[in-house]
C-alpha cells in the first residue's frame, strides 16, 4: 500500500468530513476559474480504480496541526499544458520547466486558501507545498488506499477531447 516511486505509505482508512474535503477542492476550482477561465466540476472517484496519467505532474501538499497528512494534486498532461499556456500565453506540446513552475504557482495559491477553510471547519492547520513529481505513465495508486479521491474536470467539447482538463485530488489527512 504505497505510492509508486515515491515511497510514501498510506494505510489507514477513515471517513472524511465533507467540509475537510471541500477545503482542498474548492480553492482548486476557484484558482482554476480565475486562471484559466472555465469551471471544473467535482466527482468522487470510483473506489478501487487506479489513476494512470501519462506525462502528468503531481504537486504534494503537507498538512500539519489538528489534522496531519498530505493532499496530492495530480494534473493530466493536457491540463499541465493548459496551465502553462495560461501563464506563458503560448501553447507548446511538451511539459517543460515552465509548465512545472506554472503548476507549482497555481497550487501555491490553492494551498494558501486551504487553512482558512479548514479553520472554518474547526481545524487549525498549516499547509505547505512539499514537492512536485512527474508521474510519467506510472499508476499513482489504487483509490481504495486513500480516504478521499476527487476528480475535478471540465466537460469537454464532444468534438475536441483535447480540450478536457482534469485535476485529481488525492487526500489523506486525519
Amino acid at each position: 500500500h504505497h505510492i509508486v516511486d515515491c515511497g510514501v505509505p498510506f494505510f489507514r482508512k477513515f471517513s472524511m468530513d465533507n467540509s475537510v474535503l471541500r477545503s482542498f477542492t474548492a480553492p482548486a476550482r476557484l484558482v482554476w476559474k480565475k486562471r484559466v477561465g472555465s469551471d471544473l466540476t467535482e466527482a468522487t472517484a470510483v473506489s478501487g480504480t487506479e489513476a494512470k496519467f501519462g506525462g502528468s505532474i503531481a504537486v504534494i501538499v503537507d498538512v500539519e496541526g489538528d489534522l496531519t497528512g498530505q493532499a496530492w494534486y495530480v494534473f493530466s498532461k493536457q491540463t499541465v499544458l493548459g496551465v502553462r499556456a495560461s501563464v506563458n500565453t503560448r501553447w507548446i506540446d511538451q511539459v517543460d520547466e515552465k509548465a512545472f513552475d506554472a503548476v507549482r504557482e497555481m497550487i501555491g495559491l490553492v494551498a494558501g486558501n486551504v487553512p482558512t477553510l479548514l479553520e472554518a471547519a474547526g481545524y487549525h492547520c498549516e499547509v505547505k507545498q512539499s514537492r512536485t513529481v512527474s508521474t510519467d505513465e506510472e499508476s499513482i495508486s489504487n483509490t481504495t488506499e486513500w480516504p478521499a479521491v476527487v476528480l475535478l474536470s471540465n466537460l469537454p467539447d464532444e468534438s475536441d477531447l483535447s480540450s478536457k482538463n482534469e485535476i485529481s485530488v488525492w487526500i489523506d489527512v486525519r
Side-chain angles (χ1 to χ4, degrees):
H1 295 302
H2 69 279
I3 296 165
V4 175
D5 284 339
C6 297
V8 181
F10 286 88
F11 299 111
R12 310 160 310 278
K13 197 78 174 137
F14 88 122
S15 176
M16 188 173 297
D17 183 330
N18 222 16
S19 59
V20 171
L21 199 63
R22 297 276 175 272
S23 296
F24 292 93
T25 59
R29 293 175 68 190
L30 180 69
V31 171
W32 180 268
K33 174 88 173 163
K34 285 183 173 177
R35 178 63 55 89
V36 182
S38 64
D39 287 310
L40 294 176
T41 58
E42 207 168 291
T44 305
V46 177
S47 183
T49 59
E50 285 196 347
K52 291 182 188 290
F53 299 98
S56 64
I57 294 176
V59 182
I60 303 162
V61 173
D62 289 332
V63 180
E64 292 176 3
D66 293 343
L67 295 171
T68 59
Q70 291 183 324
W72 287 49
Y73 291 88
V74 183
F75 292 73
S76 66
K77 180 179 180 182
Q78 175 69 26
T79 306
V80 169
L81 296 176
V83 172
R84 184 197 186 284
S86 75
V87 174
N88 296 283
T89 65
R90 202 171 127 249
W91 184 269
I92 63 165
D93 281 329
Q94 65 197 36
V95 175
D96 61 2
E97 197 53 44
K98 283 185 179 176
F100 270 85
D101 291 344
V103 168
R104 275 193 286 263
E105 180 193 349
M106 182 178 168
I107 295 303
L109 295 171
V110 171
N113 286 293
V114 171
T116 306
L117 294 171
L118 287 173
E119 191 77 48
Y123 301 99
H124 179 72
C125 298
E126 286 186 24
V127 178
K128 64 181 190 314
Q129 240 181 87
S130 65
R131 64 192 193 282
T132 307
V133 294
S134 174
T135 59
D136 295 324
E137 296 187 17
E138 291 290 343
S139 163
I140 291 285
S141 186
N142 188 304
T143 57
T144 55
E145 297 167 13
W146 289 71
V149 180
V150 179
L151 303 177
L152 304 177
S153 64
N154 64 340
L155 298 172
D157 177 341
E158 291 301 317
S159 64
D160 182 17
L161 284 175
S162 69
S163 69
K164 178 166 183 163
N165 290 298
E166 187 171 85
I167 303 168
S168 62
V169 187
W170 298 68
I171 306 164
D172 188 5
V173 295
R174 53 195 84 224

